[in-house]
Amino acid sequence: MRRLKCKVQYDGTLFSGYQVQPNKRTVQGELETALQRIHKGNKVKVYASGRTDAGVHSKGQTIHFDTPLAIPLDKWETALHTMLPQDISVYDFEEIPPDFHARFNTKGKEYRYFVHTSSKRDPFKRNYSYHFPYPLNLEKMRMASEYLMGTHDFTSFCSAKTEIEDKVRTIHEIEITQDGDLLMFRFVGNGFLYNMVRILVGTLLEVGSGSLYPNSMVEILEKRDRQLAGRTAPPQGLFLWEVFY
């Protein structure tokens, strides 16, 4: 039995998220269906670095699975692409030790969130960015992001549905850049809670639009109260960019 690891890109628009759900189209479901066909009807379980919500995209999700097949590493991409839908792509296959786990061996992740800031709606960007046609002060958002860097309890910046008790995480980098009418938020950290990146973005947008002060981040972190932070930005602007091991 071999354990293989690979990266997965997907357009999350038409998926009900990554994780398998009854009677819904999911990324994991499509991957496992394709692998089952390659394995002549035998089920193959896929393990990922984490799950993404409906509408969220991936440039670098990482998965692993076990297989008895002797297919060479450089043939797996072609084999799976003949079975997978057009909105999923797999690449960068490696054979890894049997004790490797795509989720539990994760050291950190990078997420990127895109905001379309033009006053005009663009139907070709609607699935891959959040349309926010209001004036923004980038400098104030960058000032606010400085307070969010480092190790904190991010209770205020995660969904109330979060079941994980330990909400302490470390954010190593926050970068906010503008290219034309496309604003990009880049987050690198040792881990992120449920909806954390989307709430961070929603909060920083409120700073940029003047609803919050940059130093409000201090009180929001200290109070550990979700209601003090900003709105949850919608899913379509979010990309899981890279997973670190």
Side-chain angles (χ1 to χ4, degrees), residues 227-239:
Q227 295 186 20
L228 296 178
R231 297 179 180 178
T232 305
Q236 70 271 15
L238 183 60
F239 289 73

Side-chain angles (χ1 to χ4, degrees), residues 170-184:
T170 300
I171 296 182
H172 302 298
E173 299 177 52
I174 301 177
E175 184 181 8
I176 303 171
T177 57
Q178 181 99 35
D179 183 9
D181 60 12
L182 197 62
L183 180 66
M184 183 190 76

Side-chain angles (χ1 to χ4, degrees), residues 17 35 97 167 203 234:
L35 285 167
K167 298 181 177 64
T203 304

